[in-house]
Amino acid sequence: MRVVVQRSKEAKVVVDKQVVGQIDRGLMLLVGVTHEDTEQDVNWLADKIAGLRIFEDEAEKMNLSVQDIQGSILSVSQFTLYGDCRSGKRPSFTSAARPDKAELLYEQFNQRLRSHGLRVETGVFGANMDVTFTNWGPVTLLLDSPPRS
């Protein structure tokens, strides 16, 4: 599982000219699922993100999590995170999970974030979405679930 984590001052997602998810300060997440991902990956990443200390404290050090600042999360499913551009000019998306599996794990991921007391807004799975946000910092991190042995 792969998540692009972006510290955000504000974010929203629009589908068919309707705002379907919107937050003020918090985290903008782009979430990708691959074939081998399981609930273990979902839980590990959601727990990591909920406690990730990337917001500044009074001393301007990154010591606070989204929970600490009482921020929100905008989570958007993004199968293109598993696009492979190594061959040719058009990305291959064969590493992305099939939609039925990806949607199930994406929903479990969002629910796990909510279990931490976080307000989680989402896009619409599989829809053509317009996502806008203000990257705060900017701070952008790429998180992958840990490899299994």
Side-chain angles (χ1 to χ4, degrees), residues 6-9 25-26 55 69 133-139:
Q6 298 168 98
R7 196 172 71 177
S8 178
K9 288 185 178 182
R25 65 188 187 141
F55 294 91
I69 68 158
F133 75 102
T134 302
N135 193 318
W136 183 3
V139 174

Side-chain angles (χ1 to χ4, degrees), residues 4-66:
V4 176
V5 178
Q6 298 168 98
R7 196 172 71 177
S8 178
K9 288 185 178 182
E10 60 186 355
K12 72 177 176 180
V13 61
V14 174
V15 176
D16 295 328
K17 299 181 182 177
Q18 298 289 331
V19 175
V20 296
Q22 186 170 10
I23 64 166
D24 291 322
R25 65 188 187 141
L27 298 175
M28 170 69 218
L29 306 180
L30 301 175
V31 182
V33 178
T34 191
H35 304 289
E36 299 82 26
D37 290 336
T38 66
E39 190 173 345
Q40 180 180 356
D41 298 291
V42 164
N43 294 341
W44 188 88
L45 273 169
D47 295 348
K48 173 71 79 175
I49 290 166
L52 198 59
R53 298 183 322 167
I54 60 172
F55 294 91
E56 295 173 352
D57 62 14
E58 315 79 44
E60 297 184 3
K61 297 211 183 285
M62 286 188 181
N63 276 327
L64 303 175
S65 70
V66 67

